[in-house]
Amino acid sequence: MIYTNDGHTQFHLTNGKISYIIQVMKNGQLAHLYYGRAIRHQNDFSFLQNYRIPMPYSCYPYDDDTGFSLDTLRQEFPGFGHSDFREPAYEMVNTDGHRLTTFVLQSYRIRDGKPPLDGLPATYVENDGEAQTIHFVFASRPAGLRLTLSYTLFSRLPVIARQAQLVNTGTRPVFVDRLMSASVDYPDKAYDMVQFSGAWARERHIKVRPLECGIQSISSIRGSSSHQQNPSIILKRRETTERSGDAYQFMLIYSGNFLAQAEVDQYDNTRVMIGIHPFQFNWRLDPGGRFQTPEALLIFSDRGLGQLTRSLHDVQRRHLIQPQWRQGIRPILINNWEATYFKFNEQKLLKIAEEAQKIGIELFVLDDGWFGKRNNDKTSLGDWWPNLEKLPGGLAQLSRKIRALGLKFGLWFELEMVSPKSELYRKHPDWAVGHPSVARTYGRHQFVLDMTRPEIVNYLFDRVAAIIREAQLAYIKWDMNRSLTDAFSLVTRQGEFYHRYVLGVYRLYDRLTRAFPNVLFESCAGGGGRVDAGLLYYAPQAWASDDTDPVERLKIQYGSSFIYPIYSLGSHISASPNHQTHRETPLALRAQVALFGTFGLELNPSRLGADERRLLKGYTDSYKNHRRLIAEGDFYRLISPFEHDGAAWMVVAKDRTEALIGYYQTLTRPNPPKMTFLKLMGLDAQADYRLDGWPHILGGDELMIVGLPLLKFDKQNRGMTTVPAGDFQSLIFHMKKCNDS
Ligand code: DGJ
């Protein structure tokens, strides 16, 4: 519900979970009054602004009102140059060279529902009752620009989507150097900033730091959202835990260069903003032209980080992932990458597929190396036709044979790239990103295609569409194995290159997913280098990391769970010793970690013994039984691998009738306690639960207050045994509600 007060100068966005309050200031700009836990509506909230407190050495726009300084006022979309010395949400250069534009509110409009963005991924609603949107429309001083700030409040979630749009209503071009998606000013700095940082094979590790005076930020200027940082930050109170306390998350629905920052000023106010990175950004807005920012999601929880995550998962599952992929039935796949790398032929692939079919796999994915003359990573990207030396019968024949086994067939592509050794590059050397007179930089021996050019997007669409039809593809893994360098296009303005590159990627995704709505896309960028909400809109799965070691995966999947629903992340069982870390781990650990994601295999089942194949069959059966719960349930983090030699997490059905728990011990302890209890969460305290294979019934309250005893039921001796000592032990528990009391 969006309330306005009588004079139309205050706006209260509230849905009983959150309140977000805005006020029009006397200069026509918007002040930010409050954001947090819902409060009742009042006719006047103006006491919430710290207006009229003159501060020494401040500047002010009205000589008779020295308390009105933009440097101390909390604002919604601050500019620079008129008494605020913090970083602004926008900056533009007019043709006469000035950067002094301000915006004055002209009107506002409240509507039910939520309009889509043009060419950008964004949250959506299926009926107008699911959200309400307010658009604030501003005119610039000096005249010539119209700014619209949009806020969508979801009816049933503590989530607001924000977005800004600029239109040139004048007669001369304007150059936009910065236009953030959202900015929020908090009245204090007593927060920790949580970020998700890492590297290739070590993505989305949790980092926490207390806010301090000055700017603390995370960003990417690699052309993609990156392995190194993820476009989301959390501000949490120092005392906030998984289970209690206030926390605010900011998340950008975008896949390119981004900036998320918190600036603490001299008065301990904190300004948080998120959007496209202003670095090298310069957008020419011609008369009549329009620029839209990506959308930012603002999520709030007063019940700890766990609830924050569950709200974020819900908004993505209900309003971002496309409806046909929302439900939890994702096929279990086998990917041949770690099984064969580039060394395969049709016979070898069919052997893998035959064995995979016997252990319950549903989709066979042929990874890198099936096209052009590609036998290593030095050649053929761009030549999207089958390598007939490896696949003499082409893709159609291979696909037919795989499908005859009862499996679906999927393929790997790396569409945005071109190998210098390729037919495509021979024909179109000018299609690669770079300046003709500056030597290009290599990354994995390859160059990047200029996705800002429509003819390149068209070429890629035509090739992929032909292959989808020819090979009857059910799935595509879209990889991207290098960052952008030499960012220059022969056709696109320099300052627009990075963003237009992302728009080109979105255009291709959009065309392919519209033309082939039943093809499941999994995004990938050297593992998890472009796991972001922008791509999740098109590709409901992302390959979480190239690191398939289960001990490493505990951290990667635990960290990722703060940002993305667990069923949107590919998690596969690979061989032991692991190819990335060389660590040996039991199959049980590998499988039980992989179960909490979109499950699959990344190994050659023909190389396993009969026992291991039997165990694998058990795990694929188990995933089939639980995948709906994993996809649709509420996720609870119980033990952090960043703080312990192990981890635990659980998924609880929305109606609390069922739960699946994973407990992992990565390092043993000598002479450990004989009984350990794992305190569960999210169950119905009044109900009793029966654990699969256990003779006892346990109360929901008992499981949450006392905890689940970490025991295994030993069928042979009909008694309970403790978790065996030793590294890499893991336990999975599944329980169902057995009565309502
Ligand atoms: C990087 C991906 O993350 C891997 O899974 C695999 O597809 C390779 N690229 C293939 O080159």
Side-chain angles (χ1 to χ4, degrees), residues 335 337 342 367-368 374 412 414 444 477 479 481 524-527 543 546 602:
N335 180 304
W337 178 240
F342 293 104
D367 208 279
D368 197 352
R374 188 139 162 119
W412 177 97
E414 193 174 355
R444 207 193 189 199
K477 176 175 172 188
D479 204 347
N481 281 302
C524 174
W543 180 224
D546 271 347
E602 193 95 7

Side-chain angles (χ1 to χ4, degrees), residues 337 340-344 367-382 384 387 389-390 412 414 418-422 444-446 481:
W337 178 240
T340 67
Y341 295 101
F342 293 104
K343 287 199 184 117
F344 59 81
D367 208 279
D368 197 352
W370 60 265
F371 51 91
K373 297 198 173 84
R374 188 139 162 119
N375 294 313
N376 55 44
D377 60 10
K378 296 207 166 112
T379 167
S380 298
L381 292 170
W384 301 114
N387 177 333
E389 277 172 28
K390 289 177 177 174
W412 177 97
E414 193 174 355
V418 62
S419 304
K421 281 190 205 150
S422 66
R444 207 193 189 199
H445 314 288
Q446 65 204 44
N481 281 302

Side-chain angles (χ1 to χ4, degrees), residues 15 114 123 125 130-131 152-157 159 161 315 319:
N15 57 9
K114 178 177 194 293
T123 50
V125 293
E130 291 176 345
T152 296
L153 174 68
F154 291 91
S155 316
R156 293 192 294 133
L157 293 167
V159 180
V315 72
H319 299 291

